[in-house]
Amino acid sequence: MSSSQKESVGITVKKADDFSEWYTQVVIKAGLADYAPVKGFIVLRPYGYAIWESIRDLLDKRFKETGHQNGFLPVLIPESLLAKEADHFAGFTPEVFWVTKTGNNEIGEKLALRPTSETLAYSIFAKWITSYRDLPLKINFWNTALRAEIKATKPFVRTSEFLWQEGHTVHATEEEAEKEVMAILDIYREVIEDFIAVPAIRGFKSDKEKFVGAKYTTTLEGMMADGKALQMGTSHHLAQNFSRPFEIKFLGKDTKEHFAWQTSWGVSWRLIGALIMVHGDDKGLILPPRIAPVQVVIVPIHKDKDAEAVKAHAHELASELRRAGVRVHVDDRDEYTSGWKFNEWELKGVPLRVNIGARDIEKGQVEFVRRDSREKKQAPRAALVQEANSLLESIQYDLYSRAKQMLDSFISRPATYGEFKGVIEGRGGFASAGWCGSPECETRIKEETGADIRVIPFDHQQGGQDRNNNGNDSDSSNKCIYCGQPAKKVAMFGRAY
C-alpha cells in the first residue's frame, strides 16, 4: 500500500488544529459508527456497540444490585397522554417526531415517537400502584429516544436518535426519593470516573436548566479537550409533580391515600463521545482498559518460514490471558503487514499491544506497547499475565490523571465580568463565579457570552457551593459576576455541547 493510501486511512488532522474534524474522523475511521441515510441519525457499528455494551453491562449490574428491574416500553405515545403534563412536554415539543398515518390512512390521534418516557410510564404506573405494599417501584428501561436535533449534529453527542437508559422509580416518602436520586448519581460517578476515566463535577442544575417538571436536577458535568462542557448524566427528583396529574397514589399504612414521590434518571451513548474527546490523540482513539472490548491485541511478527510457529505461540499467549480474565484478540491476518496492524489497532485505541516474533520466543520474552504513551517494555514470558494486568491498571490510572489535570486547567475563577467574558470567549472551560440566583442574570450571561450554568457543585473544592452552606473564601465569589449583588451560590458557567 502506498504512503498516500496509508495517510488517507489514518487520522489526517491534528486534534489541536481542527477538533471537530478530528473527532469525526476518529468515529468513522476507528469503526465506531457511520452516517445513516437520514440526517441526524447514525449507524452504530459492532466495535462502537461493543463499547456501549461494556458501559451498559457495568450500569446494569449496579442497577440490579440496588433493587432495580429492567422493563420495556413502546416507542409511540398518544398526544392526549402527553397533554396530561403539558409543561413537561412543552420542553420537548420542538424536537418531537410525529406519526400521523398508517400506510395511506390518516390516524385519529397523532402519536409521538418518544422523546422521553415519563408520561407513558407514569400512566401505566398509576394502574400498578394501589398500596404502600407496591412500593418502592424501581424500573429501568434500555431503549432509544428520538428528538429532532435542531442544533449541529455530532455522532454520539447530538443525534436525533440515541441509545440510553432511563430509570423511573416511585416511593412512599420524599426522603426515599431523595436518597434514590443521590444513589443513582453515585453509580453514574463510579462508572464515568472509575471505568471511563473521565472526571466529572457533581452538583445541581439551576432552575432554568433543570429537567422540565423536576423539583431539582442533579448532574455530572465533564469538560472536553476543546474547552466545551458535556452533560454526562442526570438524576432528577420529580417530587409529586407527575404523580398528581397521573394520579399515582397509594393507600398508606395509616389507611389514608397519598400521592407518591418519584425520580427519573439517565445516561446515553454520549459517554462514548466523552471518552473519545477526552482521551483520544492524533493517532485516534484511546480506550480506558476497564471498558475496552479488547484490552490486549497480540500481533505475531514473522517471516514465512516462522509463520505457523509464531502464530501458534501468539494463540498460546492469548489463551493464558483469557484464562486470567483479560479480553484479548490475536491479529494473525496474512494480508496485512505488521506495521499496518500496529496503525490500525492504535487507531482503534486498544490499550495494550503484545508484539511476538521468533526472536522473542527464543529469548523467552514478550514485548508490550502501551497505547497511551506508546512506551515499549520487554518482560519475561513467565510474567505475561502479571505484567499485562499491571500495565492495564497503570494505563487506566494515567488516563484518569491526565484527564483530571486537563479538567483542573480548564477551571478559572474570574474576578470581574470582563475577565469572565475573556475566559468564555478565549480558551473556554468552566468559569467559576458568584451568582445572585436571578434567572435574569443567568439569561443575560447566556445571551452575551453563550455560556450557561452547567453545574452548581456540591463540593466547593470543585469550584462552588451553596452560599448558605459555609460560604466561599474567594472574595470574587461573594458577589454576582453579572450584577454585583450578593451571591447566593457559586456556579460553574461554560459553553457546552
Side-chain angles (χ1 to χ4, degrees), residues 239-258:
Q240 296 174 320
N241 296 339
F242 287 85
S243 64
R244 290 182 180 276
F246 286 93
E247 299 190 327
I248 303 173
K249 47 194 177 181
F250 63 96
L251 196 65
K253 292 180 181 179
D254 58 3
T255 69
K256 294 179 181 178
E257 197 170 62
H258 304 271

Side-chain angles (χ1 to χ4, degrees), residues 9 26-27 65 83 91 108 122 128 147 152 177 213 226 248 251 273 275 294 299 362 377 393 445 474-475:
V9 171
V26 172
V27 170
E65 286 172 348
Y122 302 165
W128 294 350
R147 300 175 188 174
D226 62 345
I248 303 173
L251 196 65
L275 74 86
V294 177
V299 179
E362 288 172 14
K377 181 177 183 179
E393 277 304 299
I445 290 172
S474 170
D475 290 337

Side-chain angles (χ1 to χ4, degrees), residues 160-383:
S160 291
E161 183 177 21
F162 50 89
L163 281 170
W164 75 338
Q165 59 74 210
E166 50 176 315
H168 300 273
T169 67
V170 189
H171 305 268
T173 68
E174 182 168 26
E175 181 184 12
E176 285 181 20
E178 291 192 316
K179 284 181 179 177
E180 171 79 3
V181 169
M182 297 311 298
I184 293 298
L185 198 71
D186 205 46
I187 288 173
Y188 288 163
R189 184 219 60 77
E190 181 198 2
V191 171
I192 290 168
E193 294 195 336
D194 297 351
F195 289 84
I196 302 175
V198 174
I201 297 176
R202 289 179 294 168
F204 294 104
K205 287 290 190 182
S206 67
D207 283 346
K208 178 175 174 290
E209 295 295 325
K210 72 182 180 182
F211 183 67
V212 181
K215 181 176 180 180
Y216 61 77
T217 289
T218 63
T219 185
L220 286 149
E221 206 75 19
M223 178 54 59
M224 304 300 101
D226 62 345
K228 286 185 180 178
L230 185 71
Q231 180 178 288
M232 310 278 285
T234 49
S235 184
H236 318 289
H237 177 36
L238 304 181
Q240 296 174 320
N241 296 339
F242 287 85
S243 64
R244 290 182 180 276
F246 286 93
E247 299 190 327
I248 303 173
K249 47 194 177 181
F250 63 96
L251 196 65
K253 292 180 181 179
D254 58 3
T255 69
K256 294 179 181 178
E257 197 170 62
H258 304 271
F259 285 105
W261 300 86
Q262 293 180 260
T263 78
S264 69
W265 27 273
V267 297
S268 78
W269 67 11
R270 68 167 38 188
L271 295 179
I272 298 175
L275 74 86
I276 296 168
M277 290 191 277
V278 170
H279 300 310
D281 64 10
D282 292 343
K283 286 284 185 179
L285 191 62
I286 300 179
L287 290 174
R290 292 180 189 170
I291 58 97
V294 177
Q295 295 171 311
V296 177
V297 61
I298 301 175
V299 179
I301 303 169
H302 54 77
K303 295 179 180 177
D304 289 343
K305 65 183 179 68
D306 305 316
E308 292 308 311
V310 173
K311 286 181 183 180
H313 191 78
H315 282 283
E316 287 176 16
L317 299 180
S319 295
E320 188 173 332
L321 288 168
R322 284 195 194 99
R323 286 195 295 271
V326 178
R327 298 185 290 276
V328 61
H329 174 75
V330 178
D331 188 349
D332 57 4
R333 296 174 293 176
D334 291 327
E335 57 269 32
Y336 295 101
T337 65
S338 299
W340 169 265
K341 295 174 185 178
F342 296 166
N343 289 331
E344 182 179 41
W345 293 109
E346 284 182 349
L347 176 60
K348 288 182 171 291
V350 171
L352 193 60
R353 189 175 80 236
V354 171
N355 299 333
I356 189 73
R359 189 175 299 174
D360 296 304
I361 297 172
E362 288 172 14
K363 292 183 177 180
Q365 68 179 26
V366 291
E367 180 179 72
F368 292 97
V369 185
R370 291 175 57 140
R371 172 61 183 89
D372 61 332
S373 64
R374 303 175 79 187
E375 294 174 50
K376 294 182 179 180
K377 181 177 183 179
Q378 272 76 36
R381 164 70 179 82

Side-chain angles (χ1 to χ4, degrees), residues 451-492:
D452 49 25
I453 293 176
R454 301 310 309 161
V455 57
I456 301 166
F458 298 147
D459 180 2
H460 74 278
Q461 299 294 334
Q462 293 183 302
Q465 66 178 56
D466 193 314
R467 291 295 301 165
N468 296 319
N469 184 19
N470 299 326
N472 187 290
D473 295 334
S474 170
D475 290 337
S476 63
S477 68
N478 293 329
K479 295 181 180 180
C480 177
I481 194 70
Y482 188 80
C483 70
Q485 294 299 309
K488 293 181 179 177
K489 300 181 185 294
V490 176
M492 308 285 271

